[in-house]
Amino acid sequence: MTDETTGPGHTPADPPPAPTPSASSSADTKGNQESTDATTAAGPRAGTGEEKSGMPDWEKRFRAPRIGLPEWAEYAPDRSLFVSNATGTFELYAWDRATGTQRQATDRPHGTTDGTLSPDGAWIWWFSDTDGDEFGVWMRQPFTGGPDEPAAPGLAASYPGGLALHRDGTAVIGRSTDEDGSTIHVVRPGEQPVEIYRHRESAGVGDLSHDGSLIAIEHTEHGDAMHSAIRVVRPDGSTVAELDDTHGGTEELGLSVMGFAPVDGDSRLLVGHQRRGRWEPMLWDPLTGVETPLEIDLPGDVGADWYPDGSALLVEHEYQARSELWRYALAAAPGTPLSRVDTPAGTVSGATARPDGTVEFLWSSAAQPPEVRSTNGTVVLDPPGMKAPGSVPVTDAWVDGPGGRIHALVQQPPGAGPFPTVFDIHGGPTWHDSDAFASSPAAWVDHGFAVVRVNYRGSTGYGRAWTDALKHRVGLIELEDIAAVREWAVSSGLADPERLVLAGGSWGGYLTLLGIGTQPDAWALGLAAVPVADYVTAYHDEMEALKAMDRTLLGGTPEEVPERFEASSPLTYVDAVRAPVYISAGVNDPRCPIRQVENYVQRLEERGHPHEVYRYDAGHGSLVVEERIKQVSLELDFARRYLKTGERAD
């Protein structure tokens, strides 16, 4: 199943972090092809309501122009950068808030989402890959417009491994290649890049301190790609301090870099940790070694970022598929640091504190399309033109499963069930579905289907133990949880047991193919987008960082633990598949490469099994709106023909 956008520096996911222009760290997940929608933007559009007055609501949700959360330059806060599909393809846009001027900064056939601003606002940095293959180089162009130029001459093409920029023009660039593993380079204006870090395991740039004297690196040298350690080094690569909660791989506790304090003379680093069984922030000073816990007594996962003056933290709290914002005053009296930042019920997909103390955030719910809002009561960007129609709200289902209570989100059409039902499985696997607006589930509801989204073991937001439960029985554990929710959906009268569809993108596509093979009597149809289909071949063909993740999940390489790869590979069970199968795949996909998909399809063809395959010229999903609509239309039509239900997609 497909949706609209992918966050900059992130795999296409459902839903990913807000599509805010930013640099990614090393890739460590298969991702998912779905994504949370972003809202509209001023500028040229793929079509207005007047031009497309006859189109169905489900297409309007895709075509309505939208944006990601604008990023602003630290020393030029009136200069912003955001992602929009205003032309029908997701590209980067520059926005001068002082004059109101907006302009399209990138224009490529397959779209562009990875970008950021230099601290002085003078330059737009963006990542240039080839046809969505995620392998490329950083380019830059003046904020006010002008020709693109290589941002770091001397660095060959690679997968991105993080980027940090300093106000003096220095850049710290992370890279990943199959030959070199992970490398990190310091690039000063007019000088050749200097390599300061190299390791075979995955690593990436975390942040650069405000004065430019410290670099935080997230690494997995201990061999557990699911749980990073942090090393702080000088620009010459010499080590300052190490923070490692993995204890050499003997205990599964991860760390994440959230950012250095935004003021000179303050060496504190905001760090995410899992010491109490969930993600939460603390402060760590690598120069003194002092760790400062924070008084945040909230259930669920907690993230944070700095307010621009360093006096407070903007806390993002996720719990049971919803999210909210808080302000944490660092100088407050004990017991009183937290105050609520008012946001509506639903999902905040990204937030940033502005220099004037206001907070801008990208918000939506399953029923209401996204908006970029401000705590001053305004909508940050409210353009004219077609608006995305709303959808139905989600309801929560809690189901007892083999590993504990499973949370699922349910949307259903009007009337009484049982309904034909799509189990729309998220990717990652370390991600979660939330009460956020997404056009693909809404399209299925419009066509008379109920939609169930399961936050299976491996999902984030339910504690570290739930996320880390996948190892060694990869795929099979998630499917046990999906089966428990399926049984509930049927017994409750929601789902028609004869018309159950298993669907998903990326890891969700993988679980779809694995599910229709290991549970052949349960599913009437399988719809798999950019899936893992042949795990052994996928391992050998995928990007190096994902190989590290697979070694962590399965406990070794295909040669070291062949029985685990065989048990977790959809190809193993292809001859047991009974349901008709629809597969879509990007021919340039580096995460779920095309060769392993073709191996699976060949086995279906040898059996004469009913299936359809759609191959398109892009990577792990598409950034082109019409391509997304085409893919959903093909899925809807496939379901209509084989289930003999619903209306034609056209």
Side-chain angles (χ1 to χ4, degrees), residues 401-450:
R405 294 184 76 211
I406 308 160
H407 189 198
L409 301 175
V410 179
Q411 291 174 278
Q412 64 185 71
F419 303 100
T421 300
V422 175
F423 279 73
D424 182 9
I425 308 304
H426 75 73
T430 52
W431 195 249
H432 67 271
D433 279 313
S434 61
D435 182 8
F437 195 78
S439 296
S440 285
W444 288 99
V445 173
D446 285 359
H447 286 76
F449 288 78

Side-chain angles (χ1 to χ4, degrees), residues 421 423 486 490 495-502 522-525 643:
T421 300
F423 279 73
R486 183 188 69 234
V490 171
D496 180 347
E498 301 300 319
R499 296 185 294 175
L500 297 177
V501 180
L502 187 58
W523 305 103
L525 209 66
L643 298 183

Side-chain angles (χ1 to χ4, degrees), residues 311-313 327-333 336-339:
S311 65
L313 303 177
R327 184 180 188 275
Y328 187 99
L330 292 172
T336 62
L338 274 178
S339 58

